[in-house]
Amino acid sequence: MKYLHTMIRVTDPEATIRFFNVLGLQETRRIENEQGRFTLIFLAADEDSNGPGKRAEAEVELTYNWDPEAYGEGRNFGHLAYRVENIYESCQRLMDAGVTINRPPRDGNMAFIRTPDNISIELLQAGDPLPPAEPWVSMPNTGHW
């Protein structure tokens, strides 16, 4: 497993970028999603950066939702993300240990679980997504993440 990023939701992206710039992080890439009405801004320390436009070794992901939203229940902190070698095997191992898979890896690429304190953890398949497979394809979401 490899740590990828921590996601936080922001209401003022430019102010947040300035804050992280003071800490020493720089913007490495940005994704605008018109259909989903959000912007993802990835920041990294120089030591973690792989150059402009490329995924850094460790990142802070700023998520800016274009439609205003109040972030109660600590929802401004989004999730931690880890890359796994085989998302199906990882999820099965977690389920066998009693962990609820809140968002199953139906796409062979992404799943979400939660810590005992309800902090979301995103699991992402290393490389290309795996072919869709049961029981994951038919598994419903449980709760929220």
Side-chain angles (χ1 to χ4, degrees):
M1 182 180 293
K2 179 173 176 35
Y3 170 77
L4 297 176
H5 66 256
T6 297
M7 184 273 270
I8 58 174
R9 291 177 180 85
V10 300
T11 57
D12 186 339
E14 297 313 313
T16 306
I17 291 169
R18 284 191 304 274
F19 171 83
F20 279 106
N21 288 165
V22 171
L23 287 176
L25 279 67
Q26 301 297 320
E27 182 174 336
T28 58
R29 58 197 176 102
R30 185 179 288 234
I31 299 168
E32 302 278 346
N33 187 313
E34 289 189 34
Q35 183 178 2
R37 300 190 46 75
F38 63 85
T39 302
L40 304 179
I41 304 160
F42 294 88
L43 308 169
D46 289 342
E47 295 82 7
D48 293 320
S49 182
N50 289 314
K54 296 183 180 176
R55 181 183 300 272
E57 295 301 314
E59 299 173 312
V60 172
E61 172 191 324
L62 307 180
T63 296
Y64 173 65
N65 293 309
W66 300 354
D67 299 319
E69 181 180 340
Y71 297 120
E73 298 180 29
R75 291 264 313 140
N76 59 325
F77 174 81
H79 61 260
L80 301 173
Y82 293 90
R83 180 176 59 221
V84 296
E85 290 302 315
N86 184 303
I87 196 151
Y88 296 143
E89 290 175 6
S90 295
C91 286
Q92 187 62 57
R93 185 179 79 257
L94 290 162
M95 281 180 47
D96 292 347
V99 174
T100 298
I101 308 300
N102 299 96
R103 193 275 192 195
R106 290 183 290 274
D107 56 3
N109 186 53
M110 178 180 64
F112 275 89
I113 58 174
R114 294 183 85 174
T115 71
D117 294 308
N118 290 321
I119 295 183
S120 294
I121 306 288
E122 179 180 22
L123 304 175
L124 292 166
Q125 172 63 39
D128 293 332
L130 299 178
E134 293 295 347
W136 314 108
V137 172
S138 300
M139 189 178 288
N141 292 341
T142 302
H144 62 275
W145 56 92

